[in-house]
Amino acid sequence: IGTNLMLVAFYGMYILDDLQAAGADELPKLFVAALSVETVVMLAYLMQSRKNTKRGPAVAMEAGKTPTSVVSRIVARTTVLVSGMVALLAGRDLFFPGTILTFIPRD
């Protein structure tokens, strides 16, 4: 959610004016609209899921599908790495536009 909001702010503050002057602002407006809709949907889901947190009886999970299984750990690490990099780059572009991070190859 935070990354989406940073990207919307980045496009709104830095990119949209230049593209609008060149007459090429249709695609970025669609991108900002899609990010905004996605953020609203995620916030609505979070608000609704917290409201309906009725716990049922404990159910045993299948072997190999527990939170500590290898597949779950791989998925969690991949999600954290990808989301973290997107958030880092979006934050860098928003707060320090034009800055190059030397530890990222080909940045």
Side-chain angles (χ1 to χ4, degrees):
I1 295 173
T3 304
N4 282 0
L5 293 176
M6 283 192 283
L7 285 171
V8 167
F10 173 71
Y11 271 91
M13 290 191 312
Y14 298 113
I15 303 293
L16 208 52
D17 292 335
D18 295 336
L19 292 174
Q20 197 170 23
D25 61 336
E26 292 178 21
L27 188 59
K29 283 183 181 177
L30 289 173
F31 183 65
V32 168
L35 285 172
S36 301
V37 168
E38 182 183 27
T39 302
V40 169
V41 168
M42 286 192 290
L43 284 173
Y45 173 76
L46 282 174
M47 298 302 275
Q48 183 183 8
S49 67
R50 289 181 186 243
K51 188 170 46 173
N52 298 329
T53 55
K54 297 177 185 174
R55 292 188 176 205
V59 178
M61 298 182 84
E62 296 178 29
K65 293 190 176 185
T66 62
T68 58
S69 67
V70 174
V71 175
S72 293
R73 287 185 288 164
I74 290 171
V75 169
R77 286 180 188 152
T78 303
T79 303
V80 167
L81 286 173
V82 171
S83 299
M85 286 305 296
V86 169
L88 176 71
L89 293 175
R92 187 262 331 247
D93 289 342
L94 178 61
F95 297 116
F96 308 106
T99 303
I100 295 176
L101 301 176
T102 56
F103 62 90
I104 299 174
R106 298 183 183 167
D107 185 28

